[in-house]
Amino acid sequence: MKKQKSNWVLTIVLILGTLTVFFPLYMAVIIAFKKPSEMTNDVAGALSFPSKWSFSNFTEAMKVTDFWHSLGNSVFITLVTVVLSILIHSLLGYAIGRNKKSKFYKFIYFYVVSGMFVPFAILMMPVVKQTAQMGLANRAGVIILYVVFYMPMNVLLYSGYLTNIPIALEEAACVDGASTWKTY
């Protein structure tokens, strides 16, 4: 058997890479649990463990930032966006997946999916300005934006999934009395 050589250069690079990830993480945790009086300007004081672990910084941050209200907004926006995305995008994906041979549906599919190729950073500034002008700089506007931004990927996934389901299953369901809505 051939003995493997150690690659010291690669090992050192990996150790340095690990330190660049874990050192800031260590600093964030240590500073989060220190009291303001323990924060010093010297390196040894900044790197040292707190003398007494304190959660007061967390409670103060939650009060200052109105954490529970922000969390409630995030949960509400997420739930409404997910429900609307499932309803709207699955309907469009179903229509496209079952009618992909039609030129109209093929055009709609390519038009919607082409939205994946526009980077979010390019769209952000004009969208923020336009939503502010339309009076949609609120939760409803954020929900609408999320539903629209997730549409290309969701339609791609839904229509791709439905394309692989045999049409014979739907035809059999129609023979048994199911409507299009029931097979959907």
Side-chain angles (χ1 to χ4, degrees), residues 3-59:
K3 194 174 182 180
Q4 269 189 321
K5 291 183 181 181
S6 297
N7 191 343
W8 290 104
V9 174
L10 182 61
T11 304
I12 291 170
V13 168
L14 287 174
I15 290 171
L16 290 174
T18 303
L19 287 175
T20 60
V21 172
F22 285 120
F23 181 71
L25 184 63
Y26 166 79
M27 290 299 294
V29 170
I30 293 301
I31 290 171
F33 286 105
K34 285 185 178 182
K35 291 185 179 182
S37 59
E38 293 182 81
M39 295 303 297
T40 60
N41 290 333
D42 63 336
V43 176
L47 294 175
S48 65
F49 282 108
S51 58
K52 184 178 179 190
W53 294 79
S54 172
F55 288 95
S56 63
N57 290 340
F58 293 101
T59 56

Side-chain angles (χ1 to χ4, degrees), residues 98-171:
R98 288 298 176 222
N99 300 302
K100 248 187 181 166
K101 293 177 183 169
S102 164
K103 286 184 180 182
F104 174 74
Y105 284 101
K106 197 176 280 191
F107 171 76
I108 295 295
Y109 173 74
F110 286 130
Y111 180 75
V112 169
V113 172
S114 68
M116 288 177 19
F117 299 106
V118 180
F120 179 75
I122 291 175
L123 293 174
M124 195 61 214
M125 192 61 152
V127 166
V128 167
K129 284 183 179 180
Q130 190 169 12
T131 52
Q133 288 173 351
M134 295 171 66
L136 289 174
N138 51 26
R139 287 191 287 191
V142 173
I143 291 168
I144 291 168
L145 287 176
Y146 281 152
V147 169
V148 171
F149 282 139
Y150 294 137
M151 185 180 283
M153 185 60 144
N154 290 342
V155 168
L156 175 78
L157 293 174
Y158 281 125
S159 63
Y161 174 74
L162 285 166
T163 302
N164 291 323
I165 295 176
I167 195 75
L169 287 176
E170 270 189 50
E171 292 170 351

